[in-house]
Amino acid sequence: MEHAAVPAWAMMAYLISGVFFILALRGLSSPASSRRGNRFGMAGMLIAVVTTLVSQYRPTLTWPSPPQNSPEYADFLARSAENAGNEVNLLWIAGAIAVGAIIGLTTARRIKMTDMPQLVAAFHSLVGLAAVLVGVAAYLNPEAFGILDANKEILTVSRIEMGLGVAIGAITFSGSVIAFLKLAGKMSGSPIMLPGRHVINLGTLLAIIGLTAYFAILPTNSTEWVFWAIVALSFIIGFLLIIPIGGADMPVVVSMLNSYSGWAAAAMGFTLHNSAMIITGALVGSSGAILSYIMCKAMNRSFISVIAGGFGAVASEGGEAKEQRPWKRGSAEDAAYMMQQAESVIIVPGYGMAVAQAQHALREMADILKREGVKVKYAIHPVAGRMPGHMNVLLAEANVPYDEVFELEDINSEFAQTDVAFIIGANDVVNPAAKTDKTSPIYGMPVFDVDKAKTVFFIKRSMGGVGYAGVDNDVFYMDQTMMLLADAKKMVDDIVKALQH
């Protein structure tokens, strides 16, 4: 069966949707244009979905006149039956879209910003699972997908696409499930090191590649077990790749899984002969890969090591500070007084701010300081939070002006001239051990030079714990540091009250 040719107008519509997706990525590159980028993405997806449904729809046919015993009438009956099937499918698709829309809208309205990373991981798992299901459907009913040759065998190129699609999709699904569980606190965020994990991972990956080649070469009727073996091994390797990656590397994992989901969608686009899926998947896959590289560079991690499942990783010693040294405890009144007297304040937010939902109180504090003539800026590390851009999203939610938010490379040189560095919920991204201690697991990771500020206020819950990397922080014990030990939101609220008196 030949696959139905895509009309010229549909190809043009897919091209337009691709342009919208490119504009969406461009818009999402900056917090100031992110809303516009989201709208471009929504418009592009709407165009792609509507185009696919309309181009595949077949209207009900009517027979104009007798006779009804001609070859033309037999052809008419065959086409009518095919169209009737398409109409039923369209109803099912409309119902699925309605159910998905209700779930999506409900989830988006109820989700907390602190839960956004695990929501993203969950969505990635759904993309991967969708790719697997499409591949399975194509394997079980290849005629409906138009991928049979003259001998009623699945085309070789389609088998390669199918094998790659289900493999990447299954890896994305199972890997995203593990990432979701780690981010949601349902399982330990520490690396889980299996004995002989490198040999197991490498052997499983080679088996998947070999089976995919075997599936592509041999006739379909002799390779049924091979297809299901590819699916099963791919689900397994997804778990194995993500389990040894610790919570500190979750921003890289999220962006990496985003890349995987894109490549899975692109592979299934070839199977479905859908250029919109190919374009969209390639854009998501390539942009996710680039973002993963940027995240690895920002964390001093090896890109190859991370995508290979924490190859060479070591279990963190974290949990407790290694030694107790003298430190100074400050109060909300101390922080309010010192910041009121300052000319400039740089705020460094981290995941602790997200957990405490302190971003609104923080913006209120900054607004009061600005009214009193204090220059306030926000410093955002590329890997602050649990996914790329997490802190930017939280500050945008609190209506923090975009021109007050700066990336590491744009603001790091200013700490030496600033009066107060106000750290709220961050730890590893301000740890000078990354610059001085070659034995530290974060050595070489670019960090904020908060130790150069005249005064440092550091909000954390207690002195007993350390960051995700499990490394004690010398900033706690510096002469110019005052520790503000409390829930981040409560402490900032107390500072606001002190500023108002």
Side-chain angles (χ1 to χ4, degrees), residues 16-351:
I16 293 172
S17 70
V19 171
F20 273 107
F21 292 141
I22 293 172
L23 292 174
L25 288 175
R26 178 68 182 87
L28 292 172
S29 64
S30 169
S33 57
S34 59
R35 292 180 186 271
R36 184 170 66 252
N38 269 314
R39 294 190 186 102
F40 278 132
M42 293 166 62
M45 185 56 66
L46 178 63
I47 293 172
V49 170
V50 171
T51 299
T52 300
L53 294 179
V54 173
S55 64
Q56 296 299 317
Y57 177 73
R58 302 292 184 273
T60 302
L61 302 178
T62 58
W63 182 248
S65 61
Q68 296 185 354
N69 58 352
S70 63
E72 290 80 6
Y73 184 69
D75 179 64
F76 161 77
L77 292 178
R79 288 186 291 118
S80 296
E82 181 182 353
N83 288 355
N86 284 334
E87 289 176 6
V88 172
N89 290 341
L90 194 61
L91 292 176
W92 278 100
I93 291 171
I97 290 175
V99 172
I102 293 172
I103 294 174
L105 287 171
T106 303
T107 303
R109 290 179 67 88
R110 294 183 178 181
I111 193 70
K112 297 178 180 178
M113 292 307 300
T114 47
D115 296 334
M116 191 60 69
Q118 48 262 47
L119 177 67
V120 171
F123 281 169
H124 287 161
S125 73
L126 295 179
V127 176
L129 184 60
V132 174
L133 293 177
V134 170
V136 170
Y139 178 75
L140 296 177
N141 190 12
E143 186 176 4
F145 287 76
I147 55 176
L148 291 179
D149 59 17
N151 298 320
K152 299 298 181 180
E153 290 284 347
I154 299 177
L155 296 167
T156 300
V157 66
S158 296
R159 276 183 267 174
I160 296 174
E161 296 161 2
M162 197 183 303
L164 291 175
V166 297
I168 299 173
I171 292 171
T172 303
F173 172 76
S174 53
S176 297
V177 169
I178 295 298
F180 169 82
L181 294 175
K182 284 177 174 280
L183 288 166
K186 304 296 184 182
M187 68 181 295
S188 173
S190 300
I192 301 174
M193 302 300 181
L194 300 177
R197 64 189 183 279
H198 302 323
V199 176
I200 295 173
N201 289 354
L202 183 60
T204 306
L205 287 172
L206 290 176
I208 293 171
I209 295 172
L211 288 172
T212 302
Y214 186 66
F215 177 66
I217 294 172
L218 294 184
T220 309
N221 56 14
S222 64
T223 57
E224 180 175 354
W225 69 271
V226 177
F227 176 80
W228 298 112
I230 293 172
V231 174
L233 288 175
S234 299
F235 278 125
I236 293 171
I237 193 63
F239 287 111
L240 295 177
L241 287 175
I242 305 303
I243 280 178
I245 299 178
D249 291 329
M250 276 300 116
V252 182
V253 173
V254 171
S255 58
M256 180 181 68
L257 291 171
N258 177 61
S259 178
Y260 287 176
S261 68
W263 297 125
M268 287 300 100
F270 283 104
T271 299
L272 294 173
H273 302 271
N274 189 300
S275 58
M277 284 186 66
I278 297 171
I279 295 171
T280 306
L283 287 172
V284 173
S286 57
S287 61
I290 293 171
L291 182 59
S292 298
Y293 175 77
I294 293 173
M295 292 293 104
C296 286
K297 187 176 180 181
M299 298 178 71
N300 192 35
R301 298 290 194 266
S302 165
F303 181 66
I304 300 300
S305 296
V306 173
I307 64 175
F311 193 96
V314 294
S316 171
E317 300 176 7
E320 297 296 326
K322 294 181 180 179
E323 59 179 311
Q324 290 296 325
R325 290 181 276 169
W327 53 277
K328 291 187 291 187
R329 183 164 192 161
S331 65
E333 289 73 18
D334 294 330
Y337 175 79
M338 292 296 293
M339 287 192 287
Q340 278 179 318
Q341 305 306 311
E343 292 184 2
S344 62
V345 174
I346 298 179
I347 299 171
V348 184
Y351 187 63

